[in-house]
Amino acid sequence: MAINVKALLGMLFVFIGCCSNVVFLELIIQIDPGAGNLITFAQFLFIALEGLVFTSKFFTVRPKIALKDYVILVALFFGANVCNNYAFNFNIPMPLHMIFRSGSLMANMIMGIILLKKRYNLRQYSSVAMITAGIVLCTLVSSGDVKDNTHHTLRVETAYSDFFWWAVGIGLLTIALLVTAYMGIYQEVIYKRYGKHPNEALFYTHMLPLPGFLVMASNIVQHFGIALSSEPVAVPLLGAIGLEWKFPLMLFYLLCNVVTQYVCISAVYVLTTECASLTVTLVVTLRKFVSLLFSIIYFRNPFTLNHWLGTVLVFFGTILFANVINQVRDAYKARSGGKGRFDTAPPPKKVE
């Protein structure tokens, strides 16, 4: 049996890129929880520059998809990313952030019913009910321990409570979830019309929104200043030759976050082209679970029994929606010539 090396490398880099990206994101948030816009801008700028050089070749390659069709997609993609990262500014802990974003299947179903008039079976409705219950449970449990995590240089007293701002963060995550689901539907429409061009889409969805960051330029500059003034660390390579160069720690984390984000996105694109959707769902779901475990254990984020119950509901709901058990069983039967593990009856005799 031939091994799909490209698919295996894709899976490997999904775990390496996406899991390490979450780690560096949490390290940044611990220093400056309000750095969401700075992180989003840095990620968009890096991926846009990479695409400008290697995909667009400085705009000498004509796009396969019309730019006017990218406008809506770009607006949705930009809005979802800004909402997701900006939510950290509103007292949202990392584990809740990850669990909430795992509700994409729920949002996709809602959008499918409303926009595409889709109908689903009982298994799918049950799985989405599990995911919804898990997210709601984790959200309610987290609401009992809300703390103001704004950077001390930017903290201001307001008439609103920490719980109010936490509710705003939950609202941002909800909007991002629904916008991402709608974006997935719109992507299907574009890909059916023009075919799949993942590298081109990656470039234009990150390049075209860059002017939009002018609206939040003062916020980005403010938090970039916090990054520059963070604790300096010596760069080992220069230290080895007798030179010592102090580099701001948060800026180092930001650079690592940007690079690992690119590795993560590129690996997911490879998986979508090399593997079945079931495989992609399983890999991404498992990756989220590993990231969540790491966040709880390494960063010692508070996680109660109710949090674990909510997490189990979300991840098992995802597996149930993807119909993993039946598809794995069917695949096993197909590979064993149509016989299941307990099908021991002899084959019928051939009639001459």
Side-chain angles (χ1 to χ4, degrees), residues 2-315:
I3 298 175
N4 190 334
V5 178
K6 203 171 181 181
L8 287 176
L9 286 175
M11 292 178 193
L12 177 65
F13 281 106
V14 162
F15 280 92
I16 293 174
C18 300
C19 290
S20 56
N21 176 257
V22 172
V23 171
F24 287 117
L25 177 61
E26 185 145 9
L27 289 169
I28 295 170
I29 297 305
Q30 285 188 339
I31 298 172
D32 180 15
N37 289 333
L38 173 64
I39 295 168
T40 308
F41 173 69
Q43 291 174 348
F44 273 58
L45 182 63
F46 180 86
I47 294 173
L49 289 175
E50 187 276 340
L52 179 67
V53 176
F54 297 103
T55 302
S56 173
K57 302 187 189 307
F58 299 96
F59 299 108
T60 58
V61 177
R62 188 184 180 90
K64 306 292 189 300
I65 299 173
L67 289 180
K68 62 182 178 66
D69 289 307
Y70 271 125
V71 173
I72 296 177
L73 184 63
V74 163
L76 295 170
F77 185 69
F78 177 72
N81 275 272
V82 169
C83 285
N84 271 325
N85 284 337
Y86 197 52
F88 288 116
N89 205 33
F90 296 93
N91 310 327
I92 301 295
M94 179 63 79
L96 178 60
H97 192 276
M98 285 190 281
I99 293 167
F100 215 94
R101 292 185 67 179
S102 298
S104 55
L105 286 175
M106 171 190 66
N108 286 336
M109 176 177 279
I110 292 171
M111 286 297 174
I113 293 171
I114 295 173
L115 300 177
L116 303 179
K117 310 300 181 186
K118 285 186 176 181
R119 293 292 177 266
Y120 299 90
N121 57 40
L122 181 61
R123 172 183 54 79
Q124 291 170 314
Y125 282 119
S126 301
S127 63
V128 167
M130 289 174 64
I131 294 169
T132 306
I135 292 174
V136 169
L137 178 61
C138 288
T139 304
L140 290 176
V141 173
S142 298
S143 67
D145 186 29
V146 178
K147 296 176 183 177
D148 184 5
N149 56 11
T150 309
H151 193 271
H152 65 88
T153 61
L154 303 177
R155 191 169 295 164
V156 292
E157 295 298 326
T158 68
Y160 300 102
S161 65
D162 292 342
F163 179 83
F164 171 81
W165 294 117
W166 173 86
V168 172
I170 293 297
L172 286 173
L173 289 178
T174 304
I175 292 170
L177 203 60
L178 294 174
V179 168
T180 302
Y182 181 73
M183 184 179 72
I185 292 174
Y186 190 73
Q187 274 181 318
E188 286 184 25
V189 173
I190 289 179
Y191 288 158
K192 282 180 181 177
R193 188 182 304 162
Y194 297 100
K196 290 186 177 182
H197 305 284
N199 290 333
E200 178 188 300
L202 187 66
F203 167 59
Y204 282 103
T205 52
H206 285 80
M207 184 274 293
L208 292 176
L210 288 178
F213 286 102
L214 289 173
V215 178
M216 50 195 81
S218 60
N219 180 271
I220 293 171
V221 170
Q222 194 175 41
H223 289 280
F224 186 70
I226 293 174
L228 288 176
S229 61
S230 60
E231 177 190 353
V233 291
V235 179
L237 291 177
L238 296 178
I241 58 175
L243 295 174
E244 187 173 282
W245 180 39
K246 297 292 185 179
F247 197 77
L249 183 61
M250 182 176 159
L251 202 57
F252 171 72
Y253 290 154
L254 182 63
L255 290 173
C256 293
N257 176 268
V258 166
V259 173
T260 53
Q261 172 73 4
Y262 173 73
V263 172
C264 174
I265 289 180
S266 301
V268 171
Y269 270 120
V270 168
L271 275 188
T272 55
T273 56
E274 295 294 325
C275 303
S277 59
L278 169 67
T279 305
V280 178
T281 301
L282 279 175
V283 171
V284 172
T285 302
L286 185 58
R287 192 280 302 170
K288 288 179 180 177
F289 192 69
V290 170
S291 296
L292 182 63
L293 286 177
F294 192 87
S295 176
I296 296 163
I297 297 169
Y298 183 79
F299 291 102
R300 297 181 181 177
N301 283 307
F303 217 71
T304 65
L305 183 61
N306 286 326
H307 281 102
W308 279 115
L309 178 59
T311 303
V312 169
L313 285 170
V314 170
F315 286 103

